[in-house]
Amino acid sequence: MRLLVVEDDPDLNRQLVTALSDAGYAVDSAADGEEGHFLGDSEPYDAIVLDLGLPKMDGISVLESWRRNDKMMPVLILTARDRWSDKVQGFDAGADDYVAKPFHMEEVLARIRALLRRSAGHATNELVCGPVTLDTRSSRVSVNGNPVRLTSHEYRLLAYLMHHNGRVVSRTELVEHLYDQDFDRDSNTIEVFVGRLRKKLGIDVIQTVRGLGYMLSPPTDAS
Ligand code: CA
């Protein structure tokens, strides 16, 4: 899952990027409204954290413009604590949720998890495919109840496939959603990660759909 943080306060921006990266997301960041608007318009983010008070272009205008351009990604806005009008304006502009400053980072993380799973159509934080369970709160993965240790890239890959369980995910889509914009993107590395992931899970849940990409499906008895 790949996220964008648009926040002009450098300390807060850094704290958000660090916390979200530590939680296993690929994270890009922007320090003003123009840059944030451009990135949100041109890159396929899974969710965006958007401050409202921004230089160059304010957060409400950024959000309205994304929505006018049919950008549907979930957006969590950061509002000033006492400004109820910020929240109303934000929701009317197309925000999905808000956190008032100052906030606890845990709350931002929880709200992002909720936005991501809801936009992918899941009701809980525990995603299941056959014997494989992935808990988005703890970033833990288990097979038949036995914990499996994954690297952050392997986890991101599995989490993306689990969120989009039931449909084919192309390699290009994986590259776009697993890496931040500064990462040296090479779709061949996806194959390498899939290979490692299959080995670590020890069962056949990641199917290769020839010419199209990958799809999760629980192992059948025949295999
Ligand atoms: Ca600000």
Side-chain angles (χ1 to χ4, degrees), residues 2-8 12-13 16-17 20 25 27-30 36 45-52 54 62 66 73-79 97-99 101 103 105 108-109 111-112 115:
R2 184 172 167 208
L3 310 179
L4 172 66
V5 171
V6 189
E7 167 61 63
D8 59 315
L12 195 49
N13 188 308
L16 283 162
V17 170
L20 291 165
Y25 305 107
V27 187
D28 291 338
S29 82
Y45 295 105
D46 295 294
I48 294 180
V49 178
L50 175 68
D51 184 31
L52 291 187
L54 291 167
V62 169
W66 284 337
M73 64 282 176
V75 173
L76 173 73
I77 53 172
L78 304 178
T79 65
D97 201 358
Y98 76 92
V99 173
K101 293 179 179 180
F103 50 77
M105 200 56 80
V108 173
L109 293 173
R111 288 183 184 277
I112 287 290
L115 288 175

Side-chain angles (χ1 to χ4, degrees), residues 86-144:
D86 272 9
K87 294 163 202 163
V88 173
Q89 254 195 313
F91 281 116
D92 282 345
D96 298 277
D97 201 358
Y98 76 92
V99 173
K101 293 179 179 180
F103 50 77
H104 289 282
M105 200 56 80
E106 280 304 319
E107 184 178 354
V108 173
L109 293 173
R111 288 183 184 277
I112 287 290
R113 280 195 297 274
L115 288 175
L116 290 172
R117 71 169 142 76
R118 280 207 301 266
S119 74
H122 300 284
T124 70
N125 287 310
E126 198 175 83
L127 307 179
V128 178
C129 176
V132 181
T133 303
L134 181 144
D135 189 327
T136 60
R137 280 164 309 185
S138 57
S139 307
R140 289 211 178 103
V141 173
S142 63
V143 176
N144 290 318

Side-chain angles (χ1 to χ4, degrees), residues 1-222:
M1 296 294 187
R2 184 172 167 208
L3 310 179
L4 172 66
V5 171
V6 189
E7 167 61 63
D8 59 315
D9 180 312
D11 288 337
L12 195 49
N13 188 308
R14 200 172 42 242
Q15 286 166 24
L16 283 162
V17 170
T18 304
L20 291 165
S21 305
D22 288 350
Y25 305 107
V27 187
D28 291 338
S29 82
D32 65 63
E34 257 174 33
E35 188 192 7
H37 176 258
F38 171 76
L39 285 173
D41 227 18
S42 49
E43 300 287 328
Y45 295 105
D46 295 294
I48 294 180
V49 178
L50 175 68
D51 184 31
L52 291 187
L54 291 167
K56 294 191 184 176
M57 186 174 179
D58 69 272
I60 295 289
S61 304
V62 169
L63 183 52
E64 280 174 345
S65 172
W66 284 337
R67 296 314 191 208
R68 264 199 310 277
N69 294 342
D70 288 328
K71 300 290 170 199
M72 306 297 282
M73 64 282 176
V75 173
L76 173 73
I77 53 172
L78 304 178
T79 65
R81 186 151 60 121
D82 305 323
R83 295 278 295 276
W84 64 268
S85 55
D86 272 9
K87 294 163 202 163
V88 173
Q89 254 195 313
F91 281 116
D92 282 345
D96 298 277
D97 201 358
Y98 76 92
V99 173
K101 293 179 179 180
F103 50 77
H104 289 282
M105 200 56 80
E106 280 304 319
E107 184 178 354
V108 173
L109 293 173
R111 288 183 184 277
I112 287 290
R113 280 195 297 274
L115 288 175
L116 290 172
R117 71 169 142 76
R118 280 207 301 266
S119 74
H122 300 284
T124 70
N125 287 310
E126 198 175 83
L127 307 179
V128 178
C129 176
V132 181
T133 303
L134 181 144
D135 189 327
T136 60
R137 280 164 309 185
S138 57
S139 307
R140 289 211 178 103
V141 173
S142 63
V143 176
N144 290 318
N146 302 312
V148 178
R149 290 179 79 89
L150 301 179
T151 64
S152 61
H153 277 105
E154 291 161 359
Y155 174 81
R156 253 185 234 170
L157 174 60
L158 184 65
Y160 194 82
L161 290 172
M162 297 278 284
H163 272 90
H164 299 280
N165 194 357
R167 73 168 172 86
V168 179
V169 177
S170 73
R171 229 172 267 162
T172 313
E173 182 178 343
L174 286 171
V175 169
E176 284 178 336
H177 290 266
L178 299 190
Y179 304 134
D180 58 60
Q181 59 171 353
D182 298 329
F183 196 86
D184 178 22
R185 296 175 188 190
D186 176 356
S187 68
N188 290 325
T189 58
I190 295 288
E191 260 174 287
V192 176
F193 287 131
V194 168
R196 287 189 201 151
L197 201 46
R198 281 180 174 143
K199 205 176 264 177
K200 285 194 181 178
L201 296 175
I203 48 155
D204 210 12
V205 285
I206 306 174
Q207 314 296 328
T208 302
V209 184
R210 235 209 231 155
L212 293 176
Y214 302 99
M215 185 170 159
L216 279 191
S217 68
T220 53
D221 294 337

